[in-house]
Amino acid sequence: QVQLVESGGGLVQAGDSTRLSCVASGRTFSSYVMAWFRQTPGKERVFVAGINQNGGTNYADSKKGRFTISRDNAKNTVYLQMNSLNPLDTAVYYCAAGAFMLTVRGGYAYWGQGTQVTVSS
C-alpha cells in the first residue's frame, strides 16, 4: 500500500513557473514508476509525465520542454517542475504510482488526492 500526498499547487500568473511535490509513504517508493496526470472539469484525467525506477522519463508531447519530472528516492518524493505556464495548464494535478511506465489512468494503482493549479492570464 502506498499513500501519496501532493503539494505545491495554487494560483500563478501566466508565464510563471511552479513546482509540484508528491510525497509517498512506505519503504518501497524506489520500486515504483511515478507519474503526474491532470484533469479539468468534465474531461478525462490525462497523462502529463512519468519517471521510472531508473530515472528514465516520458512526457506527453505537449509538455516536452516546459515540464520536468524528477524524483528523490531518499525523500520518497517526486516533483513536477512546470515552466511558462499558461491558462490552459489550469487543472487538478494528480500524482500516481504504478509498476510500469504507462500513459493511461488505469495503469496506476495508487493516487494522491490532487492539487489545484490555476493559471491566470
Side-chain angles (χ1 to χ4, degrees), residues 31-110:
S31 69
Y32 287 99
V33 169
M34 301 299 298
W36 288 95
F37 284 70
R38 72 185 191 185
Q39 188 171 20
T40 54
K43 295 192 175 182
E44 296 286 323
R45 192 172 298 185
V46 296
F47 176 82
V48 173
I51 185 165
N52 67 18
Q53 298 87 338
N54 299 319
T57 58
N58 185 30
Y59 295 91
D61 286 343
S62 60
K63 310 302 179 293
K64 290 179 181 177
R66 288 200 304 128
F67 291 8
T68 302
I69 189 171
S70 61
R71 67 192 298 163
D72 185 338
N73 290 336
K75 296 182 178 180
N76 280 14
T77 302
V78 62
Y79 304 97
L80 184 67
Q81 176 69 40
M82 303 189 291
N83 300 328
S84 302
L85 286 162
N86 63 69
L88 292 176
D89 294 315
T90 295
V92 177
Y93 285 75
Y94 294 90
C95 173
F100 303 102
M101 179 75 82
L102 298 174
T103 61
V104 294
R105 179 176 181 173
Y108 294 85
Y110 304 104

